[in-house]
Amino acid sequence: MDKVMEQQFDIKSMYEDELKEMLSEMGEPSYRASQIYQWLQNGVKSFDEMTNISKKLREKLVQNCYISHAAIEKKLISAYDGTVKYLFSFHDGETVESVLMKYHHGYTSCISTQVGCRMGCSFCATGKSGFSRNLTASEMLSQLQTEQEDNGIRISNVVLMGMGEPLDNFDNVIRFLKLVSSEKGMNIGMRHISLSTCGIVPKIYELAEMKLQLTLSVSLHAPNNTIRSRTMPINRKYDIDELLKACRYYCKKTGRRISFEYAMIDGVNDSDACAAELGEKLRGMIAHVNLIPVNSVSGTGYRKSKRERQQSFIHVLSKAGITATVRRTLGSDINASCGQLRRKTATERAAKGESSK
């Protein structure tokens, strides 16, 4: 990060009350906080765009603060369904991916919460690129703002399922959630936001206590510890029984259904026996299983399960009283799942002798 920026306030990550406090210390009236807050939430890139703020105050803000912005580094548009995949860059040159999808109910954006990921799941492209840093709340907001501006649309649903593990960046993610759902901000209700986690158990309990009414998606991907520990290192720290205990607590505390993500990997976790074991594990829980044909990520050797295997898996789960569906695949021609575009770009840059940032 630029040394000047390290000494400045990340103003777009501030709550309105924090802005009031900062302005008070500058000797400015508190009502300016509401004006500045709304400009920031509308996606301004510079203080000069704040036309109802005095030049003197704008100069103070330039000296003390910076405005985060997600610049479009690359953009791919699916010829099949119009899904848009972005590679965004930030002030320090780091890049993340985001995907904008159009459904009949509106636009959904899948955003990143970290540059890279520490979790190391074997089927994930993001983890293979390593971890660089956490994203700030403003950098998460900026992904949405740039997508809206670029497409002239309003995003109605947000999924925190791009690059990174949201609960590994807990404080910044919570700050983002409160900002993005603010009535003076983008005003996207918590019920229209999904947060995906690989299973950091203590943070699931902490999230449950907050009762935010978002949809929690848990990346399960296996019915037992043997398979899960092989594909997801986090299971060695918080095993499947600990994780599901936390999930049951979350359901009870919030009254919200959990969505379990399950990547269908041919010959690894897609047998009827796996489905039956999973059904027993989830029996009695308010849950839905989202089956995801695994992505073809170079170096893994994984193949997606055949369609008849997917349907058999659903049938076995239904006998245990668990509903399951196969996730609709969007943007398949542009590798819309996050991690692959950044990894490919970094490889191309390395071949040219350029910086990976």
Side-chain angles (χ1 to χ4, degrees):
M1 184 181 287
D2 187 282
K3 286 187 177 181
V4 174
M5 297 184 88
E6 283 181 351
Q7 298 168 4
Q8 293 180 317
F9 292 108
D10 174 13
I11 192 169
K12 197 193 291 186
S13 288
M14 288 184 174
Y15 300 132
E16 189 174 345
D17 286 346
E18 292 171 333
L19 279 172
K20 286 181 181 178
E21 186 178 340
M22 182 183 73
L23 289 172
S24 175
E25 292 173 359
M26 291 180 178
E28 297 288 341
S30 62
Y31 73 85
R32 291 294 188 194
S34 180
Q35 296 172 318
I36 295 169
Y37 184 81
Q38 288 183 313
W39 280 115
L40 294 167
Q41 296 302 308
N42 285 330
V44 295
K45 300 179 186 68
S46 75
F47 293 109
D48 287 337
E49 295 177 58
M50 300 180 179
T51 52
N52 60 346
I53 304 298
S54 70
K55 184 178 179 181
K56 183 180 178 182
L57 175 52
R58 278 183 273 146
E59 288 173 350
K60 286 183 184 178
L61 293 173
V62 168
Q63 291 171 3
N64 292 281
C65 309
Y66 72 93
I67 300 175
S68 179
H69 171 60
I72 300 172
E73 187 88 4
K74 285 191 177 181
K75 176 182 175 182
L76 303 176
I77 304 174
S78 171
Y80 298 152
D81 50 48
T83 295
V84 186
K85 184 170 187 175
Y86 290 96
L87 183 69
F88 290 126
S89 62
F90 297 112
H91 60 272
D92 59 355
E94 291 286 11
T95 57
V96 299
E97 294 177 37
S98 181
V99 180
L100 181 67
M101 299 161 283
K102 185 177 182 180
Y103 294 94
H104 66 277
H105 58 264
Y107 287 89
T108 295
S109 177
C110 178
I111 66 168
S112 294
T113 55
Q114 295 179 312
V115 182
C117 186
R118 277 190 272 251
M119 300 299 110
C121 299
S122 64
F123 44 78
C124 177
T126 299
K128 293 187 177 299
S129 300
F131 173 81
S132 294
R133 67 172 175 86
N134 287 324
L135 293 187
T136 62
S138 63
E139 289 170 329
M140 295 175 222
L141 277 174
S142 295
Q143 294 172 63
L144 300 175
Q145 291 169 341
T146 298
E147 289 174 347
Q148 288 193 151
E149 181 185 15
D150 188 48
N151 294 276
I153 52 95
R154 183 184 185 279
I155 292 167
S156 56
N157 294 268
V158 180
V159 183
L160 279 66
M161 199 185 287
M163 293 171 57
E165 162 55 57
L167 297 189
D168 188 38
N169 186 16
F170 192 83
D171 292 342
N172 286 331
V173 164
I174 296 301
R175 181 171 284 268
F176 160 76
L177 291 171
K178 292 181 178 179
L179 288 170
V180 79
S181 61
S182 164
E183 290 183 2
K184 291 185 180 180
M186 295 186 74
N187 196 23
I188 299 175
M190 289 288 184
R191 290 178 181 267
H192 296 279
I193 300 174
S194 296
L195 183 154
S196 177
T197 177
C198 68
I200 301 179
V201 167
K203 294 302 181 183
I204 293 175
Y205 282 110
E206 195 171 338
L207 192 65
E209 297 300 330
M210 300 179 79
K211 299 181 182 178
L212 295 180
Q213 293 301 292
L214 51 73
T215 297
L216 182 64
S217 295
V218 175
S219 297
L220 199 58
H221 305 314
N224 57 54
N225 288 321
T226 301
I227 297 174
R228 197 165 193 267
S229 293
R230 195 164 69 234
T231 55
M232 301 180 71
I234 189 69
N235 196 73
R236 296 166 202 158
K237 187 167 186 179
Y238 308 112
D239 70 21
I240 199 166
D241 293 322
E242 286 183 87
L243 173 58
L244 293 179
K245 182 180 178 182
C247 290
R248 290 181 186 276
Y249 181 84
Y250 183 89
C251 291
K252 182 179 179 180
K253 197 74 178 178
T254 65
R256 301 284 291 165
R257 183 182 76 171
I258 287 182
S259 174
F260 288 98
E261 310 295 317
Y262 196 99
M264 294 284 284
I265 308 171
D266 183 42
V268 175
N269 65 350
D270 62 346
S271 67
D272 284 353
C274 283
E277 190 173 4
L278 180 62
E280 281 303 309
K281 283 279 199 301
L282 301 183
R283 192 181 293 275
M285 194 185 300
I286 311 170
H288 176 83
V289 177
N290 211 352
L291 300 179
I292 310 163
V294 73
N295 295 305
S296 298
V297 177
S298 62
T300 65
Y302 290 151
R303 299 186 307 273
K304 66 177 65 176
S305 302
K306 295 180 175 60
R307 184 169 296 180
E308 55 268 26
R309 184 92 301 280
Q310 296 170 23
Q311 293 305 313
S312 180
F313 204 91
I314 290 173
H315 178 68
V316 174
L317 283 177
S318 69
K319 289 196 292 185
I322 305 297
T323 60
T325 53
V326 178
R327 179 191 287 172
R328 178 185 170 199
T329 301
L330 295 178
S332 58
D333 57 325
I334 56 171
N335 290 325
S337 296
C338 283
Q340 299 179 79
L341 180 57
R342 179 175 182 265
R343 193 177 177 209
K344 180 181 178 183
T345 302
T347 301
E348 290 172 349
R349 285 176 170 174
K352 295 176 182 177
E354 299 176 13
S355 169
S356 62
K357 292 185 179 181

